[in-house]
Amino acid sequence: MIVNPTPTGWQVIYQQAHALLAAQLAWQWPPFLPTDRWVGLLAATAQHDDEQQRWRGHYGLTAAGAPADFTQKEFSLEQAEGVMRAARFQGQWRSLLTSLHLSFLYEPQRGENAQQDTFLDWQQAQQKQWRRALHVTKAEAQRAYALLQWCDRLSLILCRQELPERGRTLEISEGPDGKRYTVHRPTPEGPVLVSPWPFAASEFDVTVEASQLHELQFQDDAALTAALHAAPIETLQWGLRRQH
């Protein structure tokens, strides 16, 4: 979950919902792959945060009893393996992109856990196998993955309320075209501006659903689960516009 504080409690955005927002952003990017692989890239973007550990009834609390943001939770081998199993049934291309994302996330932690290192070694070996089978170069695979990572990052900036105040700019990441992109919002309620503008349309809206919790602490997972199931849902919306 992505957990943001509010004056009366917490705003919770499920990671799967954040991934759908990332896919909305990818949808707006001019396609640069054949149809089958472009759709596979969109699917990988939309599903890269699926298979959450014990998702049915287990969301996670901090030591203080607050809903746990995903950054407060440790690497879950179970979730990572689940994502790869799900990707396998949509083919080698989806599997390759998903594997590249897991490498991006967890290679910086290499050396901390032997089981995790074994998983990362397996990812590298499988990536080579999938590239050979698909006749894709490492650079071509990285270019496609760069869009997933870019959209993931911009979605997180929006969902985690990281847009800087007073119109300051924030770097997103390097896009699939090798350019460095920034984002800023000149006014609190105004459009979000990305520079340079990478999208096909000159303006569009994106949305994500957020649950509104009006309690600060919960006794256990069961109480948090019940509150989330009963929580009112708000649709958050951002307008992205080309800067004139």
Side-chain angles (χ1 to χ4, degrees):
M1 302 183 297
I2 296 168
V3 181
N4 299 312
T6 69
T8 60
W10 308 99
Q11 178 192 78
V12 174
I13 299 172
Y14 295 123
Q15 283 173 270
Q16 291 95 327
H18 133 70
L20 278 179
L21 172 54
Q24 293 174 49
L25 294 166
W27 174 265
Q28 295 291 340
W29 199 287
F32 55 82
L33 294 169
T35 300
D36 58 341
R37 293 193 177 173
W38 186 250
V39 172
L41 174 53
L42 294 174
T45 305
Q47 296 170 304
H48 73 269
D49 270 336
D50 285 1
E51 305 297 322
Q52 296 298 321
Q53 184 181 27
R54 297 192 297 275
W55 189 247
R56 298 193 255 315
H58 182 86
Y59 297 92
L61 296 172
T62 67
D69 185 77
F70 77 96
T71 59
Q72 299 169 300
K73 304 182 79 172
E74 296 180 354
F75 167 76
S76 168
L77 183 62
E78 179 184 345
Q79 187 258 342
E81 290 177 337
V83 170
M84 288 309 306
R85 279 195 300 271
R88 172 178 172 270
F89 293 103
Q90 287 191 319
Q92 296 177 103
W93 176 242
R94 161 83 199 283
S95 296
L96 174 58
L97 294 171
T98 303
S99 179
L100 288 170
H101 186 59
L102 293 173
S103 291
F104 172 80
L105 290 177
Y106 300 119
E107 277 292 347
Q109 300 174 16
R110 181 178 283 277
E112 297 179 4
N113 179 286
Q115 192 177 28
Q116 182 174 326
D117 288 354
T118 299
F119 176 78
L120 291 172
D121 290 341
W122 186 81
Q123 296 309 312
Q124 291 188 357
Q126 286 297 116
Q127 288 163 20
K128 291 179 182 178
Q129 181 176 322
W130 287 321
R131 288 198 304 267
R132 286 195 298 267
L134 293 165
H135 305 290
V136 174
T137 67
K138 188 174 184 178
E140 289 169 339
Q142 286 293 339
R143 183 190 181 209
Y145 170 67
L147 180 60
L148 188 160
Q149 193 276 322
W150 189 92
C151 294
D152 180 49
R153 172 65 181 138
L154 181 51
S155 175
L156 284 174
I157 289 172
L158 298 176
C159 290
R160 299 186 71 195
Q161 304 176 359
E162 292 180 345
L163 287 171
E165 297 179 350
R166 300 182 182 179
R168 297 185 180 94
T169 61
L170 176 67
E171 183 172 302
I172 303 170
S173 67
E174 186 176 297
D177 51 8
K179 297 178 182 178
R180 306 297 299 191
Y181 288 88
T182 62
V183 60
H184 72 287
R185 195 178 203 179
T187 61
E189 302 301 325
V192 175
L193 308 180
V194 175
S195 182
W197 183 256
F199 302 108
S202 59
E203 59 180 66
F204 60 92
D205 296 339
V206 294
T207 62
V208 72
E209 290 189 353
S211 299
Q212 308 298 324
L213 297 177
H214 298 295
E215 300 173 66
L216 292 175
Q217 294 177 303
F218 300 87
Q219 182 176 352
D220 51 30
D221 261 349
L224 174 59
T225 299
L228 284 168
H229 286 176
I233 295 174
E234 178 185 6
T235 298
L236 309 178
Q237 180 171 305
W238 297 268
L240 278 72
R241 305 288 184 270
R242 182 195 296 272
Q243 187 170 9
H244 297 294

Coordinates of all heavy atoms in Angstrom, one line a residue, residues 176-221:
P176 N 12.8 6.0 -22.2 CA 13.3 5.0 -23.2 C 14.1 5.7 -24.3 O 14.8 4.9 -25.1 CB 12.0 4.3 -23.7 CG 10.9 5.3 -23.4 CD 11.3 6.1 -22.2
D177 N 13.9 7.0 -24.5 CA 14.6 7.7 -25.5 C 16.0 8.2 -25.0 O 16.7 9.0 -25.8 CB 13.8 8.8 -26.1 CG 13.2 9.7 -25.0 OD1 13.6 9.5 -23.8 OD2 12.4 10.6 -25.3
G178 N 16.3 7.9 -23.8 CA 17.6 8.4 -23.3 C 17.5 9.8 -22.7 O 18.5 10.3 -22.2
K179 N 16.4 10.5 -22.8 CA 16.3 11.9 -22.3 C 16.0 11.8 -20.8 O 15.3 10.9 -20.3 CB 15.2 12.6 -23.0 CG 15.4 12.8 -24.5 CD 14.2 13.5 -25.2 CE 14.4 13.7 -26.7 NZ 13.2 14.3 -27.3
R180 N 16.4 12.9 -20.1 CA 16.1 13.1 -18.7 C 14.8 14.0 -18.6 O 14.8 15.0 -19.2 CB 17.2 13.7 -17.9 CG 18.6 13.1 -18.1 CD 18.6 11.7 -17.5 NE 18.3 11.6 -16.1 CZ 18.5 10.5 -15.4 NH1 19.0 9.4 -15.9 NH2 18.2 10.5 -14.1
Y181 N 13.8 13.5 -17.8 CA 12.6 14.2 -17.7 C 12.4 14.8 -16.3 O 12.8 14.2 -15.3 CB 11.4 13.3 -18.1 CG 11.4 12.9 -19.5 CD1 12.1 11.8 -20.0 CD2 10.6 13.7 -20.4 CE1 12.0 11.5 -21.4 CE2 10.5 13.3 -21.8 CZ 11.2 12.2 -22.2 OH 11.2 11.9 -23.6
T182 N 11.7 15.9 -16.3 CA 11.3 16.5 -15.0 C 9.8 16.8 -15.0 O 9.1 16.8 -16.0 CB 12.0 17.9 -14.8 OG1 11.7 18.8 -15.8 CG2 13.5 17.7 -14.8
V183 N 9.3 16.9 -13.8 CA 7.9 17.2 -13.6 C 7.7 18.3 -12.6 O 8.5 18.5 -11.6 CB 7.1 16.0 -13.1 CG1 7.6 15.4 -11.8 CG2 5.6 16.2 -13.1
H184 N 6.7 19.2 -12.8 CA 6.4 20.2 -11.8 C 5.0 20.7 -12.0 O 4.3 20.4 -13.0 CB 7.4 21.4 -11.9 CG 7.2 22.3 -13.1 ND1 7.5 21.9 -14.4 CD2 6.6 23.6 -13.2 CE1 7.2 22.9 -15.3 NE2 6.7 23.9 -14.6
R185 N 4.5 21.3 -10.9 CA 3.1 21.8 -10.9 C 3.1 23.3 -10.5 O 3.3 23.5 -9.3 CB 2.3 21.0 -10.0 CG 0.8 21.1 -10.1 CD 0.0 20.2 -9.2 NE -1.3 19.9 -9.6 CZ -2.2 19.1 -9.0 NH1 -1.8 18.5 -7.9 NH2 -3.4 18.9 -9.5
P186 N 3.0 24.2 -11.4 CA 3.1 25.6 -11.0 C 2.2 26.1 -9.9 O 2.5 27.0 -9.1 CB 2.9 26.3 -12.4 CG 3.2 25.3 -13.4 CD 2.8 24.0 -12.8
T187 N 1.0 25.6 -9.9 CA 0.0 25.9 -8.9 C -0.6 24.7 -8.2 O -0.6 23.6 -8.9 CB -1.2 26.8 -9.5 OG1 -1.8 26.0 -10.5 CG2 -0.6 28.0 -10.1
P188 N -1.0 24.8 -6.9 CA -1.4 23.6 -6.2 C -2.5 22.8 -6.9 O -2.6 21.5 -6.8 CB -1.9 24.1 -4.9 CG -1.1 25.4 -4.7 CD -1.0 26.0 -6.1
E189 N -3.5 23.4 -7.6 CA -4.6 22.7 -8.2 C -4.5 22.7 -9.7 O -5.4 22.3 -10.4 CB -5.9 23.4 -7.8 CG -6.1 23.4 -6.3 CD -6.1 22.0 -5.7 OE1 -6.6 21.1 -6.3 OE2 -5.7 21.9 -4.5
G190 N -3.4 23.2 -10.2 CA -3.2 23.4 -11.7 C -2.7 22.1 -12.3 O -2.6 21.1 -11.7
P191 N -2.5 22.2 -13.6 CA -2.0 21.0 -14.4 C -0.6 20.6 -14.0 O 0.2 21.4 -13.5 CB -2.1 21.5 -15.8 CG -2.0 22.9 -15.8 CD -2.7 23.4 -14.5
V192 N -0.3 19.3 -14.2 CA 1.0 18.8 -14.0 C 1.8 18.9 -15.3 O 1.3 18.5 -16.4 CB 1.0 17.3 -13.5 CG1 2.4 16.7 -13.4 CG2 0.2 17.3 -12.2
L193 N 3.0 19.5 -15.3 CA 3.8 19.7 -16.5 C 5.0 18.8 -16.5 O 5.8 18.8 -15.6 CB 4.2 21.2 -16.6 CG 3.1 22.2 -16.5 CD1 3.6 23.6 -16.6 CD2 2.0 22.0 -17.5
V194 N 5.1 18.1 -17.6 CA 6.3 17.2 -17.8 C 7.2 17.8 -18.9 O 6.7 18.2 -19.9 CB 5.9 15.8 -18.2 CG1 7.1 14.9 -18.5 CG2 5.1 15.1 -17.1
S195 N 8.5 17.9 -18.7 CA 9.4 18.5 -19.6 C 10.6 17.6 -19.8 O 11.2 17.2 -18.8 CB 9.8 19.9 -19.1 OG 10.6 20.5 -20.1
P196 N 11.0 17.4 -21.1 CA 10.3 17.7 -22.3 C 9.0 16.8 -22.4 O 9.0 15.8 -21.7 CB 11.3 17.3 -23.4 CG 12.2 16.3 -22.8 CD 12.3 16.7 -21.3
W197 N 8.1 17.3 -23.1 CA 6.8 16.6 -23.2 C 6.9 15.3 -24.1 O 7.3 15.4 -25.3 CB 5.7 17.5 -23.8 CG 4.4 16.9 -23.9 CD1 3.7 16.4 -25.0 CD2 3.4 16.7 -22.8 NE1 2.4 16.0 -24.7 CE2 2.3 16.2 -23.3 CE3 3.5 17.0 -21.4 CZ2 1.1 15.9 -22.5 CZ3 2.4 16.7 -20.6 CH2 1.2 16.2 -21.2
P198 N 6.7 14.1 -23.5 CA 6.9 12.9 -24.3 C 5.7 12.2 -24.9 O 5.8 11.3 -25.7 CB 7.5 11.9 -23.2 CG 6.7 12.3 -22.0 CD 6.4 13.8 -22.1
F199 N 4.5 12.7 -24.6 CA 3.3 12.0 -24.9 C 2.7 12.4 -26.2 O 3.0 13.5 -26.8 CB 2.2 12.3 -23.8 CG 2.7 11.9 -22.4 CD1 3.0 12.9 -21.5 CD2 2.8 10.6 -22.0 CE1 3.4 12.6 -20.2 CE2 3.2 10.2 -20.8 CZ 3.6 11.2 -19.8
A200 N 1.8 11.5 -26.8 CA 1.3 11.8 -28.1 C 0.2 12.9 -28.1 O 0.2 13.8 -28.9 CB 0.6 10.5 -28.6
A201 N -0.6 12.9 -27.0 CA -1.6 14.0 -26.9 C -1.0 15.2 -26.2 O 0.0 15.0 -25.4 CB -2.8 13.5 -26.1
S202 N -1.5 16.4 -26.4 CA -1.0 17.6 -25.8 C -1.5 17.7 -24.4 O -1.0 18.5 -23.6 CB -1.3 18.8 -26.6 OG -2.8 18.9 -26.8
E203 N -2.6 17.0 -24.0 CA -3.1 17.1 -22.7 C -4.0 15.8 -22.4 O -4.6 15.3 -23.4 CB -3.9 18.3 -22.4 CG -5.1 18.5 -23.3 CD -5.8 19.8 -23.0 OE1 -5.2 20.9 -23.1 OE2 -7.0 19.8 -22.5
F204 N -4.0 15.4 -21.2 CA -4.9 14.2 -20.8 C -5.0 14.2 -19.3 O -4.2 14.8 -18.6 CB -4.4 12.9 -21.4 CG -3.0 12.5 -21.0 CD1 -2.8 11.7 -19.8 CD2 -1.9 13.0 -21.7 CE1 -1.5 11.4 -19.4 CE2 -0.6 12.6 -21.2 CZ -0.4 11.8 -20.1
D205 N -5.9 13.4 -18.8 CA -6.1 13.2 -17.4 C -5.8 11.8 -17.0 O -6.0 10.8 -17.8 CB -7.5 13.5 -17.0 CG -7.9 15.0 -17.2 OD1 -7.0 15.8 -17.3 OD2 -9.1 15.3 -17.2
V206 N -5.3 11.6 -15.8 CA -5.1 10.2 -15.2 C -5.7 10.2 -13.9 O -5.9 11.2 -13.2 CB -3.6 9.9 -15.1 CG1 -3.0 9.7 -16.5 CG2 -2.8 10.9 -14.3
T207 N -6.1 9.0 -13.4 CA -6.8 8.9 -12.1 C -6.3 7.6 -11.4 O -5.7 6.7 -12.0 CB -8.3 8.7 -12.4 OG1 -8.6 7.5 -13.1 CG2 -8.9 9.9 -13.1
V208 N -6.6 7.7 -10.1 CA -6.4 6.5 -9.2 C -7.4 6.6 -8.1 O -7.7 7.7 -7.6 CB -4.9 6.5 -8.7 CG1 -4.7 7.5 -7.6 CG2 -4.5 5.1 -8.2
E209 N -7.8 5.4 -7.6 CA -8.7 5.4 -6.5 C -7.9 5.3 -5.1 O -6.9 4.6 -5.0 CB -9.6 4.2 -6.6 CG -10.7 4.3 -7.7 CD -11.7 3.2 -7.6 OE1 -11.6 2.3 -6.8 OE2 -12.7 3.3 -8.4
A210 N -8.4 6.0 -4.1 CA -7.8 6.0 -2.8 C -8.8 5.8 -1.7 O -9.9 6.4 -1.8 CB -7.1 7.4 -2.6
S211 N -8.5 5.0 -0.8 CA -9.4 4.8 0.4 C -9.1 5.7 1.5 O -7.9 6.0 1.7 CB -9.2 3.3 0.9 OG -9.6 2.4 -0.1
Q212 N -10.1 6.3 2.1 CA -9.9 7.3 3.1 C -10.2 6.7 4.5 O -11.3 6.4 4.8 CB -10.8 8.5 2.9 CG -10.7 9.1 1.5 CD -9.4 9.6 1.1 OE1 -8.7 10.2 2.0 NE2 -8.9 9.5 -0.1
L213 N -9.2 6.6 5.3 CA -9.3 6.0 6.7 C -9.4 7.2 7.7 O -8.6 8.1 7.6 CB -8.1 5.1 7.0 CG -8.0 3.9 6.2 CD1 -6.7 3.1 6.6 CD2 -9.2 3.0 6.3
H214 N -10.3 7.1 8.6 CA -10.4 8.2 9.6 C -10.1 7.7 11.0 O -10.6 8.2 12.0 CB -11.9 8.7 9.5 CG -12.2 9.3 8.2 ND1 -11.6 10.4 7.7 CD2 -13.1 8.8 7.2 CE1 -12.1 10.7 6.5 NE2 -13.0 9.7 6.2
E215 N -9.1 6.8 11.1 CA -8.5 6.4 12.4 C -7.0 6.5 12.2 O -6.5 6.1 11.1 CB -9.0 5.0 12.8 CG -10.5 4.9 12.9 CD -10.9 3.4 13.2 OE1 -10.5 2.9 14.2 OE2 -11.5 2.8 12.3
L216 N -6.3 6.8 13.3 CA -4.8 6.8 13.2 C -4.2 5.5 13.5 O -3.1 5.2 13.0 CB -4.3 7.9 14.2 CG -4.6 9.3 13.8 CD1 -4.1 10.3 14.9 CD2 -4.0 9.7 12.5
Q217 N -4.8 4.7 14.4 CA -4.2 3.4 14.8 C -5.2 2.3 14.7 O -6.5 2.6 14.8 CB -3.7 3.5 16.3 CG -2.6 4.5 16.5 CD -2.2 4.6 17.9 OE1 -3.0 4.9 18.8 NE2 -0.9 4.3 18.3
F218 N -4.7 1.1 14.6 CA -5.6 -0.1 14.5 C -5.0 -1.2 15.4 O -3.7 -1.3 15.5 CB -5.7 -0.6 13.0 CG -6.3 0.5 12.1 CD1 -5.5 1.4 11.5 CD2 -7.6 0.5 11.9 CE1 -6.0 2.4 10.7 CE2 -8.2 1.5 11.1 CZ -7.4 2.5 10.5
Q219 N -5.8 -1.9 16.0 CA -5.4 -2.9 17.0 C -4.6 -4.1 16.3 O -3.6 -4.5 16.8 CB -6.6 -3.5 17.7 CG -6.2 -4.5 18.8 CD -7.4 -5.0 19.6 OE1 -8.5 -4.4 19.4 NE2 -7.2 -6.0 20.4
D220 N -5.1 -4.5 15.1 CA -4.4 -5.6 14.4 C -4.8 -5.5 12.9 O -5.6 -4.6 12.5 CB -4.8 -6.9 15.0 CG -6.3 -7.1 15.2 OD1 -7.1 -6.5 14.4 OD2 -6.7 -7.8 16.1
D221 N -4.3 -6.5 12.2 CA -4.6 -6.5 10.8 C -6.1 -6.7 10.5 O -6.6 -6.1 9.5 CB -3.9 -7.7 10.1 CG -2.6 -7.3 9.4 OD1 -2.4 -6.1 9.3 OD2 -1.8 -8.2 9.1

